[in-house]
């Protein structure tokens, strides 16, 4: 069974909010209708967003780390928001595990938002229905898009590749490997909701070069050091020097 | 949580309506068992059932203001297998219909009122359980996730319903004023014990979710520096009550006085002097107190999502 998810690499995220704006741009322009804003250029701007980037400071000065923390629907494998919905508007798709809201059935009772410990559901104050991340379900299966662009808008926008998208139930997928090899974890595991989205923790950055990678491939005799270095005034590039 | 007045009115009004019906049915069963004097079918049971239906209908009406799309409310009957809210939406109109049938059976002298009343009583208990479980079933709202939530809804609803029944009995000249007032005091005292138990329990709660589990970083000191936006959002409006700690404390002591000791004294005085106005005041005071109690019930619930919204920037 497929479970699509986002993997968010906190080691790489720079907190640029490109995923937020890209998400808003894509999802406010789609067939499901706009994501409404109020007072966008005035005193108390407010609006409906499906993705946010927050910033936390970890540690005590001077040993602090600034952690940028993107937060959107985690598409839980056991989503607490789904069984509480009285109309069945909130549902989890069997075929790919995406948690969705049917905007035509939602009555805007907000009970699902109460039942989500992560606070990732937001009421659209004008359409009066609950909105949440759809994993860009209208992008990822669109045959009109080039294969490489069939990814959520946030993933496409991330300049540092901090967001990976794929099937976490396929052990050979990029996202499963990322979780396995980089200590991927879930948020608030204490509630048993089993979020599909995982986060990759901060990691110590190391040089990952092996000694043999430092040697010239076209130097089988390993006699680099034996050749005379060019004089200072001579050209020093490989293809113009004599050796 | 942000207390919504629609839900405060819904839960307090239907609680009073349910309690009032239980008082009426208790009077009939008591008369059947020769323990209580029989009551008039028209003047007592029919009018009383009508008043109970009015309470329930007013609560149902208030609940619509909680919905963004009230015109789709009929869809809520769909998910009764999983959702307590759906179950409540089914049971509430069913119970209203049964109370109306109970009153009509008395009014038209159709007989079988004990049977209709018994079915309505089952629906009444089911409605109490559904209403309470809507809140108690959300396990991470730890202040609500306790059987005490359901017990409090039952006992507080019975207390206000029986208080109203005492005033109603006095107004209609029924001989049951003293009985109803006595039961109302009993329910009020019992509700005080269980509500106080839940207050003590909630004061000792240790939140299971912390900023460490919320962002998954195991460092004792994490401080939020930005929540991602400068203005408000649904997350900052729906899950924070926004009242000062002093006001929350005042509401708590307010309801502790208005729901329990004051109505108990007024009930005793009203029953002793057979005074309808005093008993009406007892009901009104207790009802206002119950609104404060429900406001506090919501305000006290601390949603774990608030961990993500501790600092604007």
């Amino acid at each position: 069974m497929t479970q699509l998810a986002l993997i968010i690499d906190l080691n790489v995220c720079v907190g640029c909010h490109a995923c937020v704006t890209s998400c808003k741009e894509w999802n406010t322009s789609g067939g499901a209708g706009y994501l409404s804003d109020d007072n966008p250029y005035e005193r108390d701007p407010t609006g409906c967003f499906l993705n946010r980037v927050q910033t936390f400071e970890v540690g005590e000065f001077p040993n602090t780390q600034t952690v940028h923390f993107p937060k959107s629907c985690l598409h839980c494998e056991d989503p607490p928001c789904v069984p509480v919905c009285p109309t069945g508007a909130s549902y989890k798709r069997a075929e790919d595990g995406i948690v969705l809201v049917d905007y035509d059935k939602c009555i805007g009772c907000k009970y699902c938002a109460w039942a989500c410990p992560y606070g990732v559901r937001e009421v659209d104050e004008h359409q009066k229905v609950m909105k949440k991340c759809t994993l860009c379900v209208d992008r990822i299966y669109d045959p009109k898009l080039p294969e490489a662009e069939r990814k959520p808008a946030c993933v496409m926008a991330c300049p540092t590749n901090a967001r990976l998208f794929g099937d976490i139930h396929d052990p050979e997928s990029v996202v499963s490997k990322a979780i396995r090899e980089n200590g991927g974890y879930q948020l608030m595991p204490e509630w048993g909701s089993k979020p599909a989205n995982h986060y990759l923790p901060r990691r110590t950055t190391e040089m990952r070069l092996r000694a043999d990678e430092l040697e010239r491939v076209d130097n089988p005799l390993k006699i680099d050091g034996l050749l005379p270095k060019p004089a200072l005034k001579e050209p020093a590039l490989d293809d113009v020097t004599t050796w | 949580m942000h207390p919504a007045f629609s839900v405060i009115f819904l839960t307090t009004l239907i609680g009073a309506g349910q309690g009032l019906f239980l008082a009426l049915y208790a009077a009939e069963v008591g008369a059947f068992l020769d323990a209580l004097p029989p009551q008039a079918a028209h003047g007592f049971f029919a009018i009383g059932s009508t008043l109970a239906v009015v309470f329930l209908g007013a609560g149902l009406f208030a609940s619509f203001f909680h919905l963004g799309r009230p015109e789709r409310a009929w869809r809520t009957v769909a998910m009764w297998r999983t959702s307590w809210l759906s179950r409540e939406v089914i049971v509430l109109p069913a119970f209203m219909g049964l109370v109306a049938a109970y009153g009509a059976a008395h009014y038209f002298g159709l007989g079988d009122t004990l049977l209709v009343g018994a079915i309505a009583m089952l629906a009444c208990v089911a409605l109490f359980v559904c209403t309470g479980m809507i809140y108690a079933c959300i396990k991470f709202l730890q202040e609500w996730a306790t059987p005490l939530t359901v017990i409090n809804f039952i006992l507080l609803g019975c207390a206000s319903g029986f208080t109203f029944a005492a005033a109603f009995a006095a107004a209609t000249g029924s001989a049951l004023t003293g009985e109803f007032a006595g039961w109302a005091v009993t329910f009020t005292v019992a509700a005080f014990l269980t509500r106080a138990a839940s207050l003590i329990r909630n004061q000792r709660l240790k939140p299971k979710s912390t900023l460490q589990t919320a962002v998954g970083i195991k460092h004792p000191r994490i401080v939020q520096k930005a929540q991602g936006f400068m203005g408000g959002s649904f997350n900052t409006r729906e899950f924070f009550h926004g009242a000062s700690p002093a006001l929350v404390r005042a509401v708590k002591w307010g309801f502790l006085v208005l729901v329990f000791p004051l109505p108990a004294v007024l009930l005793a005085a009203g029953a002793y002097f057979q005074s309808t106005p005093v008993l009406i005041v007892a009901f009104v005071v207790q009802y206002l107190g119950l609104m404060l109690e429900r406001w506090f019930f919501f305000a006290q619930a601390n949603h774990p999502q608030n961990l993500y919204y501790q600092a604007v920037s």
Side-chain angles (χ1 to χ4, degrees), chain B residues 23-236:
Chain B
L24 297 177
Y25 189 61
E28 185 175 7
V29 173
F32 178 72
L33 298 175
D34 287 332
L36 294 172
Q39 300 299 316
H42 283 209
F44 184 82
F45 287 110
I47 296 179
S49 302
T50 310
L51 289 170
V53 171
V54 168
F55 273 119
L56 297 165
L60 182 62
F61 179 73
S63 74
F64 278 92
F65 290 91
H66 190 67
L67 304 183
R69 294 276 192 163
E71 75 277 11
R72 296 177 184 166
W74 59 272
R75 287 189 179 275
T76 45
V77 298
M79 301 305 283
W80 55 272
R81 286 182 197 81
T82 60
S83 169
W84 283 106
L85 179 54
S86 179
R87 288 168 200 162
E88 187 194 36
V89 171
I90 294 169
V91 174
L92 174 53
F95 176 58
M96 285 173 69
L98 285 165
V99 176
Y102 179 72
H106 273 291
Y107 187 81
F108 296 110
L110 300 178
D112 289 336
T113 50
L114 273 174
L115 180 65
V116 177
I119 299 169
M121 192 180 72
L122 290 179
C124 181
V125 173
L127 181 56
F128 270 131
V129 173
C130 289
T131 311
M133 281 307 290
I134 286 174
Y135 306 97
C137 78
I138 305 177
K139 57 186 168 186
F140 47 80
L141 279 166
Q142 290 172 267
E143 289 83 356
W144 293 352
T146 158
L148 283 172
T149 301
V150 180
I151 294 169
N152 285 330
F153 271 95
I154 294 174
L155 291 178
L156 290 168
C158 287
S160 76
F162 274 82
T163 305
F164 186 86
F168 170 67
T172 54
S174 159
L176 292 180
T177 310
E179 268 80 9
F180 282 157
W183 288 338
V185 170
T186 309
F187 280 123
T188 300
V189 170
F192 174 74
L193 294 177
T194 58
R195 192 67 180 95
S198 79
L199 285 178
I200 292 166
R201 170 191 179 271
N202 291 349
Q203 206 152 32
R204 296 176 172 198
L205 274 182
K206 189 169 173 290
K208 266 193 194 171
S209 287
T210 60
L211 204 44
Q212 280 72 21
T213 70
V215 297
I217 296 171
K218 293 175 190 63
H219 193 286
R221 188 180 177 279
I222 305 176
V223 181
Q224 184 160 34
K225 291 294 173 184
Q227 64 182 9
F229 48 94
M230 303 292 282
S233 78
F234 176 73
N235 302 80
T236 60

Side-chain angles (χ1 to χ4, degrees), chain A:
Chain A
M1 211 176 69
T2 309
Q3 173 63 63
L4 296 179
L6 293 170
I7 308 303
I8 292 158
D9 193 343
L10 299 182
N11 201 39
V12 184
C13 177
V14 293
C16 71
H17 291 248
C19 55
V20 179
T21 51
S22 175
C23 165
K24 177 84 170 180
E25 190 275 334
W26 177 262
N27 285 295
T28 203
S29 326
Y34 57 92
L35 291 174
S36 62
D37 290 319
D38 283 299
N39 311 322
Y41 303 106
E42 286 157 47
R43 193 183 163 83
D44 289 310
T46 184
C48 181
F49 282 74
L50 312 184
N51 182 29
R52 304 279 196 184
V53 176
Q54 306 189 314
T55 302
F56 295 90
E57 188 180 82
V58 180
E60 199 124 16
F61 182 82
N63 299 317
T64 56
Q65 292 252 341
T66 301
V67 177
H68 300 293
F69 180 82
K71 179 166 83 84
S72 57
C73 172
L74 307 169
H75 298 279
C76 298
E77 302 204 37
D78 190 2
C81 55
V82 167
V84 300
C85 176
T87 67
S90 197
Y91 64 105
K92 185 174 177 68
R93 304 214 310 180
E95 64 264 38
D96 53 15
I98 303 180
V99 178
L100 286 175
V101 178
D102 185 336
Y103 301 143
D104 293 331
K105 282 188 187 168
C106 177
I107 57 167
C109 70
K110 309 185 195 112
Y111 194 28
C112 57
W114 294 8
C116 169
Y118 308 102
V120 294
R121 291 171 161 256
E122 295 192 19
V123 156
D124 188 305
E125 299 287 358
H126 291 268
Q127 293 180 28
K128 305 282 186 191
V129 294
M130 196 56 72
K131 300 253 172 123
K132 63 180 287 303
C133 163
T134 65
L135 276 182
C136 283
V137 70
D138 50 347
R139 274 191 78 93
I140 58 177
Y141 296 115
D142 188 351
K144 294 201 287 294
L145 288 173
E147 185 96 36
E149 289 182 23
R150 290 180 206 163
K151 293 175 187 171
C154 57
V155 177
M156 297 290 298
C158 182
T160 60
N161 211 15
R163 303 176 77 93
L164 310 173
F165 170 66
D167 174 15
I168 58 162
H169 282 185
D170 171 8
E172 291 311 309
S173 67
V174 174
V175 288
S176 294
K177 279 184 187 159
I179 295 170
R180 227 169 28 234
E181 293 170 6
N182 297 306
Y185 64 86
Q186 297 167 318
L187 303 183
M188 292 189 194
E190 60 271 24
W191 302 119
S193 52
K194 289 192 270 173
N197 283 12
H198 283 64
Y199 285 74
L200 306 184
R202 283 297 177 87
R203 305 183 283 287
T204 313
T205 308
E206 301 166 341
M207 284 280 274
R208 297 200 182 181
L209 286 173
R210 297 183 302 275
D212 60 305
E213 288 174 319
L214 291 168
E215 282 179 24
R216 273 175 51 161
V217 186
D218 58 348
N219 184 26
L221 298 178
K222 313 218 178 343
I223 52 175
D224 272 5
L226 301 177
L227 293 170
K229 286 190 173 165
L232 269 179
K233 294 196 173 170
E234 280 180 49
L237 295 172
D238 278 7
D239 54 347
V240 291
T241 51
T242 50
W243 50 278

